[in-house]
Amino acid sequence: MEFWLRLARSRIAKDVKAGRGDVHIGFALVCRLFITAMDKRAEGDGRIWSDLLQYAEQVVAKHPPRH
């Protein structure tokens, strides 16, 4: 987890320097989505979590992340 957080922070800083400040909004929304999915799963509703994982797997399979 620490690796991905450091990588995300570095990439966000580069995007901000390149004038793409909306990266903060995107990251915040992704974090809120992740937390919402975890909360709903803890409440017994795993649909958002399942959908999130399925979508993420599809995107990453088509567009593997660069390291």
Side-chain angles (χ1 to χ4, degrees), residues 2-67:
E2 291 297 322
F3 168 77
W4 289 110
L5 290 172
R6 282 193 306 271
L7 181 62
R9 185 175 184 192
S10 172
R11 299 284 295 272
I12 289 168
K14 289 176 185 176
D15 268 25
V16 169
K17 286 181 184 177
R20 295 183 293 270
D22 62 342
V23 69
H24 288 123
I25 295 166
F27 184 73
L29 285 171
V30 168
C31 289
R32 288 175 58 196
L33 172 60
F34 187 77
I35 290 169
T36 299
M38 289 192 318
D39 289 347
K40 292 303 249 179
R41 183 174 67 160
E43 294 170 2
D45 182 357
R47 291 177 294 174
I48 295 174
W49 182 259
S50 178
D51 289 348
L52 178 62
L53 290 183
Q54 183 180 9
Y55 180 67
E57 287 173 353
Q58 290 172 3
V59 170
V60 172
K62 289 181 184 176
H63 310 281
R66 295 177 294 164
H67 298 285

